[in-house]
Amino acid sequence: MTNAALESPLEAIHENVVYQNPLLRLKIWELYWDVPAYGIPDRWLWHYHKEVEFLVVLEGQLGVQTKDDSRILGPGDVMLLGASQPHRTYKSDPAAIRQVVFQVDLAQHFDQSTMPYLSTFSELTRPLGELNYIFRENGDARQEAFRLVMDIYEESQQKQRGYEMAISSSIKRLLLLLLRSDYRGVLGRTDDTELLRLRPALDYVDRHLGEKIAVEDVCGLLNLSYHYFIKYFKKAMGLSFVDYVNYKRVKTAERLLLTRDLSIMEVGFEVGIPNMAQFYKLFKRHNQCSPKEFRQRMRSQAGPGGDAL
């Protein structure tokens, strides 16, 4: 396998992950692989997606290759694949494989209290795949990660009341496990001083979310130049100032769609996006569905018995 083959667009399929729940922004399922053929196939294509992926193996031997790693996973093993990381898998021996695949948009699981850690997991400097050393070297951490992924899978299947909260809690515990087990410092450290300095800017966004927010106005609050501010903000928060504002607007729109009897146009005005075409485009970029579809889907899931995840 050459590097040229990896970099060729013909050899890397961009997978569009269809979320099972637009609020949780995840897909998790069990895969049973019992075809007689095994070993590396003649045509072995790479694929990637913007979601982070966790693989856990229940039975059999699963071969996984990334640009920087090649491993055989057995029962009880866990592997983490970073966002947009090309990877491919194969059945490495005749026995059937049973595995759970968990794909999640991590950025959507950071709220106001945990936002300071978004930059830690943003892969701005190092890919999350480097954290796999934890699962190889730390048996307790591997078992705990395995248990948390399986808890998420069970909750997604059973859909008992409050399962969304249970899943969100397990995702946060999974991130905390990685954070506290990372003795090599792959994730780096969050600088509280940087975040404290940005506090006036974050508060300004919250107060003026329904209005036009100009970067220049926020720069003035912090007494920083435009170019220094945008670089400083991205370094501290893990995403650009514009992306942060859009993120806050979409999250507020989601809440309004679920909790208030407003028209789609009124929701757009409430979150500072009066242009409906722009509002639909931004909302769909974050949720893979329109605001109307989002509201209908969430209301149908809240009905008696709910919809399948």
Side-chain angles (χ1 to χ4, degrees):
M1 228 320 281
T2 66
N3 286 336
L6 170 61
E7 293 165 0
S8 168
L10 298 176
E11 294 294 330
I13 299 167
H14 183 193
E15 179 185 342
N16 182 29
V17 174
V18 179
Y19 299 128
Q20 296 161 328
N21 182 307
L23 277 182
L24 293 172
R25 300 294 295 271
L26 61 82
K27 180 179 180 182
I28 186 166
W29 74 101
E30 183 178 321
L31 179 63
Y32 186 69
W33 198 352
D34 65 345
V35 294
Y38 65 94
I40 296 176
D42 293 334
R43 185 167 171 76
W44 192 26
L45 298 181
W46 298 89
H47 72 281
Y48 64 98
H49 36 75
K50 70 181 183 65
E51 293 74 16
V52 169
E53 178 170 306
F54 290 86
L55 296 172
V56 302
V57 177
L58 307 175
E59 299 174 9
Q61 302 289 320
L62 176 69
V64 186
Q65 185 180 18
T66 68
K67 182 180 178 181
D68 305 305
D69 195 8
S70 183
R71 296 180 57 197
I72 303 294
L73 304 180
D77 280 338
V78 180
M79 188 168 185
L80 169 60
L81 300 162
S84 298
Q85 179 180 13
H87 56 281
R88 53 188 186 175
T89 60
Y90 68 97
K91 188 168 173 277
S92 67
D93 72 13
I97 295 173
R98 191 161 67 94
Q99 66 181 102
V100 168
V101 182
F102 174 38
Q103 299 169 334
V104 59
D105 182 355
L106 285 185
Q108 302 304 312
H109 290 270
F110 289 87
D111 53 29
Q112 196 70 21
S113 64
T114 55
M115 188 64 75
Y117 292 95
L118 175 59
S119 60
T120 305
F121 289 91
S122 65
E123 303 187 87
L124 287 176
T125 56
R126 300 176 72 175
L128 288 180
E130 289 188 22
L131 291 171
N132 282 306
Y133 82 88
I134 295 172
F135 304 136
R136 292 193 295 268
E137 299 177 9
N138 187 333
D140 290 341
R142 181 176 63 251
Q143 290 175 19
E144 179 66 5
F146 186 96
R147 184 188 68 79
L148 287 167
V149 172
M150 293 308 298
D151 283 349
I152 293 168
Y153 175 67
E154 293 300 328
E155 288 287 351
S156 75
Q157 295 298 299
Q158 296 170 8
K159 298 186 296 296
Q160 296 182 35
R161 187 180 185 190
Y163 77 93
E164 299 96 337
M165 288 190 289
I167 288 176
S168 182
S169 173
S170 291
I171 290 172
K172 286 182 172 64
R173 290 194 63 82
L174 192 53
L175 296 179
L176 179 61
L177 175 70
L178 293 171
L179 191 70
R180 291 185 173 175
S181 302
D182 177 29
Y183 75 87
R184 294 185 185 177
V186 171
L187 292 173
R189 292 190 176 276
T190 304
D191 190 334
D192 292 337
T193 359
E194 290 184 342
L195 296 168
L196 189 62
R197 192 178 184 188
L198 286 176
R199 187 78 261 165
L202 303 181
D203 291 341
Y204 181 89
V205 171
D206 287 339
R207 290 196 308 271
H208 297 274
L209 202 59
E211 309 164 21
K212 181 178 179 180
I213 297 176
V215 180
E216 290 79 6
D217 294 338
V218 183
C219 295
L221 279 177
L222 302 179
N223 197 26
L224 298 175
S225 72
Y226 176 89
H227 292 292
Y228 183 81
F229 171 75
I230 57 177
K231 289 180 180 178
Y232 185 86
F233 190 95
K234 185 162 188 177
K235 178 177 179 292
M237 297 296 291
L239 72 172
S240 72
F241 179 73
V242 171
D243 285 342
Y244 175 78
V245 173
N246 287 337
Y247 169 83
K248 294 287 289 184
R249 283 178 164 153
V250 170
K251 289 285 126 188
T252 303
E254 290 172 359
R255 187 176 71 250
L256 292 174
L257 288 166
L258 295 176
T259 61
R260 295 190 45 194
D261 191 19
L262 299 173
S263 69
I264 305 299
M265 182 175 290
E266 288 171 326
V267 171
F269 272 93
E270 285 282 328
V271 299
I273 315 177
N275 183 310
M276 282 298 95
Q278 183 184 354
F279 178 52
Y280 268 77
K281 183 179 180 181
L282 180 63
F283 193 92
K284 196 162 188 176
R285 186 191 310 159
H286 282 260
N287 285 295
Q288 285 74 54
C289 65
S290 70
K292 182 179 179 180
E293 291 167 339
F294 176 87
R295 174 180 269 168
Q296 290 173 339
R297 189 183 307 174
M298 296 312 299
R299 285 180 174 176
S300 69
Q301 289 181 2
D307 282 347
L309 234 182

